Amino acid sequence: MERKMIYLSVYVTIIGITSLAQDITYHIEEELSNSTKIGNIGDDSNLFSAIGGSDSSSLTFSFLTTGNQYSHYFRVGKNSADLFTNDVIDRETVCEFTEICMLVLQIAAKSELGSFFRILKIHVFINDINDHSPVFSKSTLTLPVSEAVLVGTSYAIDGARDRDTSPEYSLKQYELQSVDPDFTGNLPFSIQFSKHLDGSSIIRLYVTEPLNREVRDAYHLEITAFDGDIPPRQGRLPVFIIVSDANDNQPQFDSPSYNCTVTEETMEGEVIIQLNATDLDSEDNGKIKYKLSPHQSNEIFDKFGIIEDTGEIILKEKIVYSPGKIYRIIVEAYDNPIDGQSLSTQTFVIVNIENTGNNAPKIVMNLLTQNDNAEVPESANIGKVVAFVEVVDHDEGKQGMASCIIQSIDFDIQRIDMNKYKIFVAQPLDYERNQIQTVTVHCQDNGKPPLPASASFNISILDKNDNTPVFTESPYTKNVREDLPVRDFILQVSATDLDSGKNSKVSFEISKRYTHKNYFYFENLPNNIANLRLNRSLDRDTISSYVFPIYAIDEGEEGEPSKTGSAMINLHITDVNDEKPVFKMSPFTIVVLENLPADTPVGNVIATDNDLGVNAQVEYKIHPDDRDNIPFIMFSNGNIKTNQELDREAQDRYEFKVIATDKGENPLSSTGTVVVLVSDANDMYPEIRFPRPDNNTASVVQSAKPWQIVTRVLASDADEIGTGNSRLRFDIIARNDSELFQINPNTGEIQITKSVDSVEVGKLFKLDILVSDYGKPRAKTSPCVLFIRIKSSNATKTEVSTDVLSNQNFLIAIIVGIVTVVLSLGILATICIIRRIDRERKEEQKRKNNNQIKVDPDINDRQVFDGSITVFSLPSEDSLLNEKKKKEVSFSLEDDVFSDDDLIQKNGLDNNHRHFKPNLSYLTPSTKKVEDNHSETSGDTGTSDSGRGGSDEEIHTSMSQSPRDKMMDFTRPLPPISHQEIIPFSFKKGMALPYNNRDYSSRPDVINTDNIEMSRRDLDPHKHGLSTMAVHLPNDSLDRSRNKVVLLQTDSGIHSDTNSNEGDNTRDCMV
């Protein structure tokens, strides 16, 4: 059926703003769809305009659900006051058997800010629509009829029932017709009907013509029921009449309706009224029975019953007086004929309730929520109304007045009218302290004696997201194998949140700022737990540990911001044997003396494995292909020994392969090469100056960078210089540092190989070091023990402890460097100008001197002048020194300088014989210890240790200043020379020229050249040349502008150094 338009009318009666309730009347049609707007109770009652102010904008509306049985069919906007349908309303269900359907609602209006509170009464009339068709109680009917039946005989048939009760849409008529296709002619039947109070009806089927079973023994008929709509709704009943061989009178009550009154004292089981009905039929057809019509509310069946044979209505439970409350009972009388076609009739019984006693008050709770539970957020303001309490007492006068108190923690009660109270928030709420509170209301009337009543209900405190998730553990620490498969479980985390609902549901995530966050992910599980799983393959050799923050984030209710808790995860990656041993060098070159007995140690090979523990332990063996072809054996620790004497003349070089294999579960190996060179012997042992038993400790700070030099082993060999017998090699032969340090085999420098973990701070590592020379045929070795202590970075006073300070120092260093460069450029420019002027003056003076000086023909046997540098040809070693001197060269620099002319004049060079006769005994060097405060070890090795491995016996040339008036001459000894500074330089052998043959125009400048060299190009063929040496000095070592004279003191030894890159004819010396 097409839906009709909503018919809505509103009648508003305004009783006054001070009244407790205001009546509003609405008319709506039934079957309206859910959420159809009916009206606005605030506007229709004039409530908004009447109260005005802040209370008007803060009003909230809710149903008084208790006592309002129809409130669930509607809903009201909490703030808008719009009234909507909340369900499809079936008028026939709500108002059964009545032509007028009116629903009464009560709505509470209260202020969220103030104490305003009103109750509005709403009358909603439900108008009927034709939404039901007539329906027969049976789908088909078979009726036997005797052929001897008299014309006019009728048969009762249960008619159709139309649930629509309005006059225009209820049942209107019936129609009878044959549906037998072979039947022609007039039917010998007709029908009439009568309606009952419950909407049902009874049909009388009349026989209108005599029946003849021999002519027709059955009729196939159809009864159609029509209602009053246009077009009408229909209901059909197929009727099969079997002509056979009737009850034709229905029972009649002696009154169309009955009234009775029941008091509150009437006991259960008492008869409240007896009905009587008669039937004109005889015998069984006239025997009457009674029953309550099944088409009425369950309340009737709960409170009343009827005796089937007598018609007595009894009270099933006691009734309490309620003003205006009556009960309408429909009672049906029916006969019981033999043929089973019963006839019946119905009547009304009106039951009134009389107030006769002192009744106890009854407490009616109305919870101001949209559901059946009282709820209030923990952030509710004090004074917020949470429930409306009405005390119902049917006693009259003062006996019906009651007073109430409350039993609660955070709530209180206040009277707002007679027998009406509101319950409100009395103090701040806390969900975490008390999630559910039980509120009990105690009331007592003024009767004699006073009667009490109590009622309780629970108020749920709604949670606000005011608690941060807390991890059950922090930090989480776990060891993880580096071969853990991707997506495998690592560890489980959990967190707690004292909130509830979504506010307590926690999910977990890894910090998005963590660099390696893609290596892991969380699998979030119920109950605020999550599994951390691997997302990418691990490699301990690349990253040995992962430390990262994780977060627990609650969901938060709608409109509530989420809260986040944090914790740390420390994952230590454990080693798996996945790295092959790597030889430190390949080939390993080893020199061994010939003619040594069998089982002589040759050397050892070293391979490193980046794994840990057993996986990093390496064993060695000779390759099977070479095992039988060489005179060596190898032990598992890498040591190599001879198994027979070696004959260098037979073979001076052996090369073979060795295999290094780790001890891991699945061993890995690699191959290296060893070269053994057979050499000769040696008789001097290396002398170690550092470390020594009284000075053998160095230290390094934790923050030292990999490959930083931390100290140096100082040693020398008194064997012949320039051969392998004096060249030294440094090796670590035993250690407990897990290869944290390595030694430079040529220089003795100890380097740190990797960053130092904080756990190593304070540890003392022992290195057994072997210093060996390359002597032939047998190398000499000297062992020493070096201890290295790891210090905390904070222990170094000059080190800044924070990154911020480091950055500031870095910036300051840059600025200072820039300023220094600028100032240096300016100073250099000034110096260059001054030196240029001075050089021009000096050259002019030299030209004058050249024109005046005559050189002794034999001067080349004793001296050579080269501007500012004087090289003396010294006497033999035996004539100069009585004890053996070390093969070293030292220079003495005079700080109080003198010019060339001064040197000539002051030291006895006259015009005829300009040459020196120096007193060489005054050139004997003196020693002075040089302090070093620039290394890590300077503060740990004592006053005798430089910290760079230097010993207390390091020799430096003493130099002194001499005033200008105490210059050297032939007869007076030279003044003492004090040490000023040590300048590195080198000698180069050559042939000097006679002084008078030097070309001064092309003479090298002392300041601007690196090399001052006396060459052969000025050689006099008539004079025997001196053995001379080139002096290599740094550019800034000497200041030519100050007219310094460099005095060289050398011994008569061979000037050579095997460490020099210039071959056997050069040697490093100290100036």
Side-chain angles (χ1 to χ4, degrees):
M1 175 180 289
E2 183 179 357
R3 178 66 66 190
K4 293 185 177 181
M5 295 295 291
I6 299 174
Y7 171 73
L8 174 64
S9 62
V10 181
Y11 298 90
V12 180
T13 302
I14 301 178
I15 302 175
I17 194 64
T18 59
S19 173
L20 177 64
Q22 303 175 23
D23 293 341
I24 306 173
T25 301
Y26 295 100
H27 288 263
I28 64 173
E29 290 184 348
E30 69 169 332
E31 302 294 336
L32 292 180
S33 61
N34 190 5
S35 298
T36 299
K37 182 176 179 180
I38 299 174
N40 186 284
I41 60 176
D43 293 332
D44 297 342
S45 65
N46 202 29
L47 182 61
F48 285 149
S49 60
I51 64 174
S54 60
D55 281 338
S56 174
S57 60
S58 66
L59 284 180
T60 59
F61 299 83
S62 61
F63 283 103
L64 300 181
T65 55
T66 304
N68 290 331
Q69 57 178 325
Y70 304 113
S71 60
H72 65 279
Y73 289 107
F74 305 89
R75 61 182 173 86
V76 62
K78 180 178 180 181
N79 301 108
S80 65
D82 290 329
L83 183 63
F84 298 87
T85 60
N86 195 46
D87 198 356
V88 176
I89 301 175
D90 185 1
R91 183 179 183 273
E92 288 69 32
T93 300
V94 178
C95 302
E96 196 173 22
F97 313 130
T98 61
E99 293 186 357
I100 297 175
C101 182
M102 181 185 73
L103 308 182
V104 179
L105 308 174
Q106 285 184 305
I107 296 178
K110 62 177 180 178
S111 172
E112 290 293 313
L113 299 177
S115 61
F116 177 83
F117 182 82
R118 292 291 184 271
I119 297 176
L120 305 176
K121 184 174 289 186
I122 314 297
H123 298 86
V124 181
F125 288 86
I126 310 301
N127 298 329
D128 188 30
I129 63 173
N130 191 17
D131 58 340
H132 293 89
S133 298
V135 178
F136 289 90
S137 61
K138 298 180 179 179
S139 59
T140 60
L141 176 64
T142 300
L143 182 64
V145 178
S146 174
E147 65 177 352
V149 66
L150 297 175
V151 173
T153 302
S154 65
Y155 295 90
I157 299 175
D158 290 335
R161 181 178 181 231
D162 193 336
R163 295 191 64 191
D164 294 322
T165 57
S166 62
E168 60 268 37
Y169 299 129
S170 61
L171 183 64
K172 289 298 184 182
Q173 63 180 1
Y174 287 91
E175 179 180 292
L176 178 66
Q177 62 183 3
S178 174
V179 294
D180 194 348
D182 62 348
F183 178 80
T184 58
N186 297 324
L187 285 174
F189 306 97
S190 64
I191 59 173
Q192 296 179 5
F193 75 99
S194 60
K195 294 174 61 177
H196 292 162
L197 296 177
D198 60 0
S200 63
S201 61
I202 190 73
I203 301 173
R204 306 297 300 184
L205 178 66
Y206 289 90
V207 179
T208 59
E209 295 180 6
L211 301 178
N212 189 341
R213 184 176 180 279
E214 285 72 21
V215 175
R216 191 173 188 87
D217 61 351
Y219 295 87
H220 187 190
L221 308 178
E222 186 178 79
I223 299 175
T224 304
F226 300 88
D227 64 14
D229 201 358
I230 300 175
R233 286 179 174 264
Q234 303 175 8
R236 291 180 171 83
L237 176 65
V239 180
F240 297 92
I241 298 178
I242 306 300
V243 180
S244 63
D245 225 323
N247 188 17
D248 55 357
N249 290 287
Q250 63 185 26
Q252 296 292 327
F253 284 99
D254 54 10
S255 175
S257 64
Y258 298 86
N259 285 278
C260 69
T261 299
V262 177
T263 67
E264 292 179 302
E265 285 79 14
T266 302
M267 302 302 293
E268 298 174 1
E270 289 188 21
V271 176
I272 61 174
I273 192 174
Q274 184 173 8
L275 307 184
N276 184 49
T278 59
D279 191 326
L280 298 179
D281 293 324
S282 61
E283 296 181 356
D284 290 339
N285 291 334
K287 187 177 180 180
I288 298 174
K289 292 185 178 183
Y290 303 88
K291 66 179 180 179
L292 299 180
S293 171
H295 305 294
Q296 49 193 332
S297 67
N298 291 331
E299 185 181 18
I300 299 298
F301 293 96
D302 292 338
K303 295 186 179 296
F304 305 98
I306 193 170
I307 299 176
E308 184 181 55
D309 295 329
T310 63
E312 294 175 326
I313 296 177
I314 60 175
L315 190 65
K316 295 176 68 175
E317 63 179 36
K318 292 188 69 174
I319 297 177
V320 178
Y321 170 79
S322 178
K325 179 67 174 180
I326 62 174
Y327 296 94
R328 293 179 174 86
I329 306 173
I330 300 175
V331 180
E332 182 176 311
Y334 61 96
D335 58 22
N336 189 21
I338 297 175
D339 59 7
Q341 295 298 316
S342 176
L343 300 177
S344 63
T345 186
Q346 293 180 342
T347 187
F348 268 122
V349 177
I350 309 300
V351 180
N352 298 287
I353 310 302
E354 180 181 353
N355 183 15
T356 59
N358 180 18
N359 297 300
K362 181 179 180 182
I363 300 175
V364 178
M365 294 286 186
N366 285 279
L367 308 179
L368 304 179
T369 57
Q370 297 294 335
N371 49 44
D372 295 335
N373 297 320
E375 297 176 344
V376 59
E378 62 177 328
S379 60
N381 295 327
I382 294 177
K384 179 179 177 64
V385 179
V386 297
F388 170 69
V389 178
E390 184 175 6
V391 181
V392 179
D393 193 323
H394 299 303
D395 296 331
E396 297 180 355
K398 291 184 177 181
Q399 293 185 355
M401 299 175 61
S403 58
C404 299
I405 61 173
I406 192 172
Q407 181 181 345
S408 175
I409 299 175
D410 296 324
F411 301 91
D412 204 351
I413 192 169
Q414 181 182 354
R415 183 195 299 270
I416 59 176
D417 203 345
M418 187 179 71
N419 288 357
K420 293 179 174 61
Y421 298 84
K422 67 177 180 181
I423 296 176
F424 60 92
V425 178
Q427 61 183 18
L429 306 176
D430 186 0
Y431 170 85
E432 287 71 36
R433 173 173 56 86
N434 200 347
Q435 300 178 8
I436 298 178
Q437 294 194 28
T438 300
V439 175
T440 303
V441 177
H442 302 281
C443 298
Q444 181 175 288
D445 63 14
N446 291 322
K448 294 182 180 180
L451 298 178
S454 297
S456 299
F457 66 96
N458 292 329
I459 298 179
S460 297
I461 310 301
L462 301 181
D463 181 43
K464 290 292 182 181
N465 194 18
D466 56 353
N467 287 283
T468 299
V470 177
F471 281 91
T472 56
E473 182 181 346
S474 183
Y476 291 89
T477 302
K478 184 71 178 290
N479 292 329
V480 181
R481 286 175 56 91
E482 65 174 326
D483 60 347
L484 184 72
V486 173
R487 302 192 181 281
D488 260 24
F489 171 83
I490 298 176
L491 57 81
Q492 188 175 88
V493 300
S494 62
T496 59
D497 194 316
L498 296 179
D499 295 321
S500 65
K502 290 185 177 180
N503 295 331
S504 66
K505 293 182 178 179
V506 176
S507 60
F508 300 86
E509 67 178 35
I510 300 171
S511 173
K512 296 179 181 178
R513 296 184 178 181
Y514 179 52
T515 305
H516 305 296
K517 62 180 180 298
N518 294 329
Y519 278 78
F520 311 97
Y521 69 94
F522 271 121
E523 176 189 15
N524 286 293
L525 302 174
N527 302 322
N528 293 352
I529 61 176
N531 291 335
L532 183 68
R533 293 185 178 274
L534 185 64
N535 195 43
R536 295 176 60 179
S537 298
L538 301 174
D539 183 3
R540 190 209 63 82
D541 305 311
T542 303
I543 303 175
S544 61
S545 65
Y546 296 85
V547 180
F548 52 91
I550 59 173
Y551 302 116
I553 306 171
D554 61 29
E555 293 186 11
E557 296 286 354
E558 183 177 355
E560 294 282 342
S562 297
K563 292 188 177 295
T564 302
S566 64
M568 295 297 295
I569 287 183
N570 297 333
L571 300 180
H572 302 287
I573 310 305
T574 58
D575 185 49
V576 175
N577 191 23
D578 58 352
E579 292 287 336
K580 292 182 178 180
V582 177
F583 285 96
K584 283 192 173 182
M585 62 182 68
S586 185
F588 285 88
T589 301
I590 303 173
V591 177
V592 60
L593 292 177
E594 64 177 338
N595 301 324
L596 295 177
D599 202 35
T600 297
V602 174
N604 70 309
V605 296
I606 299 175
T608 59
D609 193 317
N610 289 331
D611 292 320
L612 296 177
V614 176
N615 297 330
Q617 297 179 10
V618 180
E619 293 182 332
Y620 305 87
K621 64 181 179 180
I622 297 175
H623 197 282
D625 294 343
D626 298 329
R627 187 179 303 158
D628 299 329
N629 302 325
I630 56 175
F632 303 103
I633 58 174
M634 173 173 276
F635 296 90
S636 61
N637 61 358
N639 290 335
I640 301 174
K641 291 186 178 182
T642 61
N643 59 10
Q644 65 183 45
E645 288 189 3
L646 303 180
D647 185 357
R648 184 177 179 275
E649 287 70 30
Q651 185 172 344
D652 63 353
R653 186 178 186 275
Y654 296 90
E655 181 174 339
F656 54 92
K657 295 179 181 179
V658 294
I659 299 175
T661 306
D662 61 34
K663 296 182 180 180
E665 183 177 350
N666 297 307
L668 301 176
S669 62
S670 58
T671 302
T673 302
V674 176
V675 175
V676 179
L677 302 177
V678 182
S679 63
D680 298 311
N682 179 21
D683 61 348
M684 296 298 294
Y685 289 89
E687 179 182 1
I688 299 175
R689 301 195 303 276
F690 177 81
R692 298 185 308 184
D694 61 341
N695 183 20
N696 60 0
T697 304
S699 62
V700 59
V701 294
Q702 179 196 349
S703 60
K705 304 299 182 182
W707 307 114
Q708 178 178 325
I709 298 174
V710 298
T711 188
R712 179 179 180 181
V713 177
L714 299 179
S716 61
D717 195 321
D719 286 324
E720 180 183 0
I721 296 174
T723 67
N725 294 336
S726 63
R727 291 180 59 200
L728 301 181
R729 175 182 178 87
F730 304 83
D731 294 287
I732 298 174
I733 59 174
R735 62 202 313 163
N736 67 346
D737 62 334
S738 300
E739 300 187 358
L740 180 61
F741 303 96
Q742 76 171 21
I743 190 168
N744 188 313
N746 297 320
T747 66
E749 292 171 342
I750 304 294
Q751 292 176 303
I752 187 169
T753 62
K754 55 187 175 181
S755 298
V756 181
D757 292 336
S758 59
V759 297
E760 306 290 344
V761 173
K763 288 187 176 181
L764 186 66
F765 296 103
K766 177 184 177 184
L767 301 180
D768 291 334
I769 299 172
L770 185 68
V771 182
S772 59
D773 62 24
Y774 292 86
K776 298 178 181 179
R778 184 183 301 275
K780 300 295 185 180
T781 60
S782 297
C784 63
V785 177
L786 175 64
F787 294 91
I788 300 179
R789 185 184 304 277
I790 306 299
K791 287 188 175 181
S792 171
S793 299
N794 295 329
T796 304
K797 296 182 179 178
T798 59
E799 183 176 353
V800 181
S801 61
T802 66
D803 291 339
V804 175
L805 188 57
S806 298
N807 293 335
Q808 292 176 350
N809 288 343
F810 181 69
L811 293 175
I812 292 172
I814 292 176
I815 295 172
V816 171
I818 294 173
V819 173
T820 301
V821 170
V822 173
L823 293 177
S824 299
L825 291 176
I827 293 172
L828 288 174
T830 303
I831 291 173
C832 289
I833 295 173
I834 294 173
R835 292 176 65 184
R836 182 180 180 84
I837 295 173
D838 184 70
R839 187 164 53 250
E840 293 175 353
R841 182 182 64 79
K842 296 293 184 181
E843 290 175 354
E844 179 65 25
Q845 182 66 34
K846 291 174 183 178
R847 284 194 293 270
K848 293 179 181 181
N849 293 337
N850 290 338
N851 295 330
Q852 297 175 0
I853 298 175
K854 294 182 180 179
V855 182
D856 190 327
D858 298 328
I859 194 171
N860 61 331
D861 293 331
R862 294 180 298 277
Q863 62 183 354
V864 176
F865 281 94
D866 188 6
S868 61
I869 298 182
T870 300
V871 181
F872 296 95
S873 177
L874 301 179
S876 65
E877 181 177 351
D878 295 335
S879 62
L880 262 179
L881 303 174
N882 296 324
E883 60 179 352
K884 181 178 180 180
K885 293 189 175 290
K886 294 184 179 179
K887 299 173 178 60
E888 296 178 351
V889 177
S890 62
F891 277 19
S892 297
L893 292 177
E894 278 205 51
D895 193 38
D896 192 5
V897 299
F898 45 86
S899 66
D900 296 347
D901 293 338
D902 292 335
L903 182 64
I904 295 171
Q905 295 171 8
K906 294 283 186 177
N907 289 277
L909 270 76
D910 54 22
N911 292 333
N912 297 324
H913 301 283
R914 294 178 177 270
H915 61 275
F916 288 116
K917 293 181 180 179
N919 187 343
L920 297 176
S921 63
Y922 292 97
L923 295 177
T924 303
S926 62
T927 61
K928 180 179 181 180
K929 181 166 60 181
V930 181
E931 294 182 1
D932 176 20
N933 296 321
H934 302 292
S935 70
E936 292 295 341
T937 60
S938 61
D940 189 58
T941 60
T943 58
S944 65
D945 185 11
S946 68
R948 295 176 298 176
S951 70
D952 296 336
E953 297 175 0
E954 288 187 338
I955 299 174
H956 305 284
T957 304
S958 296
M959 298 182 182
S960 65
Q961 298 180 351
S962 59
R964 193 179 265 281
D965 56 356
K966 294 182 179 181
M967 303 305 295
M968 296 182 296
D969 59 20
F970 288 95
T971 59
R972 185 173 56 194
L974 289 173
I977 302 174
S978 61
H979 173 68
Q980 296 295 318
E981 59 180 332
I982 298 174
I983 303 173
F985 70 99
S986 66
F987 286 122
K988 184 173 183 181
K989 293 180 180 180
M991 297 298 294
L993 297 179
Y995 185 82
N996 58 347
N997 292 333
R998 296 298 298 272
D999 183 0
Y1000 283 91
S1001 63
S1002 60
R1003 185 183 61 179
D1005 187 84
V1006 175
I1007 300 300
N1008 296 321
T1009 62
D1010 291 336
N1011 300 318
I1012 302 174
E1013 180 175 354
M1014 294 168 282
S1015 67
R1016 287 180 175 272
R1017 58 188 171 86
D1018 295 328
L1019 179 64
D1020 185 352
H1022 302 288
K1023 297 291 183 180
H1024 178 69
L1026 294 174
S1027 176
T1028 63
M1029 290 153 283
V1031 182
H1032 300 277
L1033 300 172
N1035 287 338
D1036 56 353
S1037 297
L1038 301 177
D1039 187 355
R1040 180 64 179 86
S1041 64
R1042 298 179 60 194
N1043 295 325
K1044 288 186 177 180
V1045 173
V1046 180
L1047 304 181
L1048 282 75
Q1049 175 181 347
T1050 69
D1051 61 13
S1052 58
I1054 298 174
H1055 304 291
S1056 63
D1057 183 6
T1058 57
N1059 291 329
S1060 173
N1061 292 328
E1062 299 194 20
D1064 292 337
N1065 293 330
T1066 62
R1067 170 172 189 180
D1068 288 339
C1069 301
M1070 300 299 293
V1071 175

